[in-house]
Structure formats: structure tokens, C-alpha cells
Amino acid sequence: SSQNFSEEFAEAARQLKKEAPRIQFGKIDVTHQHELRKEFNIQAFPTVKLFVNGSRGDPIDCKGVRKASAFITWMKRRTGPSTVLINSTDQAEAIIKADDLAVIGFFRELHNESVEVFCETAREVPEMPFGMTASEDVCANYGIQRSSLVVFQKGKPVHMEVLEDGRQNKLALTRLIKTFTLDLVTEYTIETSVKIFDVPVENHILLFTPANSETFSEIYENYKAAAAEFRGEVLFVFVDTNEARNGRIFEYFRVRDIDVPAVRILNLTSEAKYKMPADEVTVENLKEFCQSYLSGKAKQHLSSEEIPEDWDKMPVKVLVGKNFNSIIF
């Protein structure tokens, strides 16, 4: 909420006053300042804009940052270097192991378009530490042959993106990295739906179950364990079937109360839906379902009504999903 963010914003201001006294903080209640709201086109709340070098035009938007710590990092990366320059393997290990996640750019040389795109991406993702290196020893230690961005999770590489001579789209790269800042499992709500659809992962798996059921914690832990295996490939989403506001999403997947717990996969590009064949939500069943989907072996789930008994009694036949293919084709 705006109130929570206001507190985080004030905390960031307090900390940065000691570290970077040249940065000035201010807040405006635009419900009373209509002219300012119009001038800076404020559509959502809270909105944070950074004005640089005393210029009123073209301020920089700070989007999606809600915690004081991330906001401080965002500010530091805007007013100073956005990545740490790594010269030794020890230094690389220290950055990789300091946090749950870290991003390292491995380059042949530090003055080209790829490096610029990498540094710009770092500015947009303050939730994660970024480092870069052109050291042959460091590249050799991690077995990196060419310009690459590598995401490390708990000290191990979990994703590698080759940087082709700066042709990367900074937005696509930023969204890819932000995928890793999401929790392993994201609960679907009106608020989180924006985040869910903003990550560049087209495969979404959804668990439909009531959060207050006796078996919920066991099912949720299994779901979380499976999520760790497919990070970056499949986005794991949980939908609380007790939440009335989620009614639309049940309708879209044709999930009924008697079906839960239910697990579905949705491909965002084709809108194809897949139903987990097994009934029990175990780690093994979830892994098998995801693997069969990713390898193209899973059968598409066509939501359908049952075939009516008198579907062929009249000159115009009654078609539903289950008999459409066989009758038409």
C-alpha cells in the first residue's frame, strides 16, 4: 500500500542522508497538486521519479521497487557504477555466495555494446547483486567461453544467456532477470497478476487448492520443491480456491470445486492448456508433468461439456469439445 511504501521511502531517505547527502528526497500529495499530477502524467500510486542535474524535464521512473534496501541500491546504481568490477575468483565467489541470487557478466573486454546493455540491465534490477569481469582466470574457473550473463542461485549457475555483441533488448534482459526475483511460488492475486504476466516465461503452471485445507501445507511444500527444478522455464503460480475474487480464473480453466486440488499448465503464446494426469500433488508427479510438457509429450486438455445423449437425433448435430474432432475431421 501507499502507507507501507511511504515508510520504506522515509527509511531509504534516512540511510542515504548519511551516505549520499547530495540526493534530496521529497513527497507530493497529488490529490491536492493537480497541476503537478498533470505535468508529470501520474497515473498510479505511489509513483517515484528521479530528477537529475536540476532538470524538470524527462525524469527517470523508478518502477516496481517497494523495499527501502532495493530503493537504496536503485539510487546508488543511478548515481554511480551499477555493477561491481571483478578481478579475481575469490572476489567472484564472495559476490555469488553473499546472496541467494547473483548475476555475473563474463566478457572478453569491458568496452563494448554488450557491457553497456548489461550495466543498463543492472540499473533496472536493484533486488539482485550484479558483477562483471573480463579476467581470463575468472572466466576459465566457471568454464565460460564467450560474452555471457550467468544467474547464480545459492552459489550454483542456474541460467546462462549469451550476449551477442550488444544486440540484446535491454527490456527483455531485464524481464528475464526479474523472473529470478519472484518467489519460487507466486500466489495469484489482483496485485501479483501484473508481476506474473510481466516475466518472459510463457509456460505457467497453476495449482488450484484452498489455502485453509488440512493438506495445504504438504501440497504447497511439494509444489515449492518442484518449482526449484524449473526456475526460468516454468512459472509456478498458486490460486486459492477460497478467494471469491479468483472466480474468473476458475472459469477460464474450467476448474470446479470437486476437481481441487487441481494442477494445470498454460502456454501463454498459444493459450493451450494441459491437465496433470495424476491426482496426487507430489513432487514426482509435478516433475513428471512439467518434463512431459517441456518435451512436447503432454496431451492438450480441451475443456468440454459431456456429449449430450441426443446430439445426433436432429438434422443439426450438437458438438462439444469431446466430439468435435471426430465428427468434423
Side-chain angles (χ1 to χ4, degrees), residues 59-224:
I60 301 162
D61 277 322
C62 176
K63 290 178 183 169
V65 178
R66 291 288 174 264
K67 291 269 175 253
S69 55
F71 185 67
I72 289 166
T73 304
W74 186 86
M75 287 297 296
K76 284 179 175 174
R77 289 182 187 177
R78 287 281 164 191
T79 55
S82 61
T83 62
V84 176
L85 183 59
I86 296 168
N87 295 312
S88 68
T89 303
D90 285 351
Q91 203 185 350
E93 282 295 292
I95 289 172
I96 288 163
K97 288 180 175 165
D99 278 276
D100 182 33
L101 291 157
V103 183
I104 308 291
F106 296 88
F107 300 100
R108 290 197 190 94
E109 44 117 6
L110 292 177
H111 302 285
N112 59 28
E113 279 187 76
S114 294
V115 175
E116 278 178 38
V117 171
F118 180 77
C119 291
E120 284 175 17
T121 304
R123 284 194 192 102
E124 301 299 331
V125 192
E127 299 93 337
M128 291 165 79
F130 276 68
M132 66 178 182
T133 186
S135 155
E136 283 185 30
D137 290 349
V138 177
C139 291
N141 183 62
Y142 295 100
I144 305 295
Q145 303 293 321
R146 53 204 295 203
S147 291
S148 305
L149 170 158
V150 181
V151 181
F152 290 85
Q153 185 179 2
K154 297 196 189 305
K156 292 178 182 169
V158 288
H159 184 86
M160 180 170 141
E161 195 77 15
V162 174
L163 300 169
E164 301 281 4
D165 305 323
R167 283 198 299 270
Q168 265 71 18
N169 175 333
K170 185 192 79 172
L171 183 65
L173 215 51
T174 303
R175 288 175 68 212
L176 170 80
I177 301 302
K178 275 191 175 285
T179 304
F180 293 89
T181 67
L182 279 179
D183 295 333
L184 274 176
V185 174
T186 306
E187 182 175 352
Y188 182 90
T189 64
I190 304 300
E191 293 76 30
T192 63
S193 62
V194 178
K195 262 187 178 179
I196 290 168
F197 292 112
D198 193 42
V199 297
V201 176
E202 66 169 9
N203 309 312
H204 289 192
I205 186 168
L206 299 97
L207 166 66
F208 294 87
T209 195
N212 63 354
S213 71
E214 286 175 21
T215 54
F216 176 73
S217 58
E218 186 190 339
I219 287 173
Y220 191 79
E221 285 310 309
N222 290 346
Y223 196 60
K224 217 165 156 184

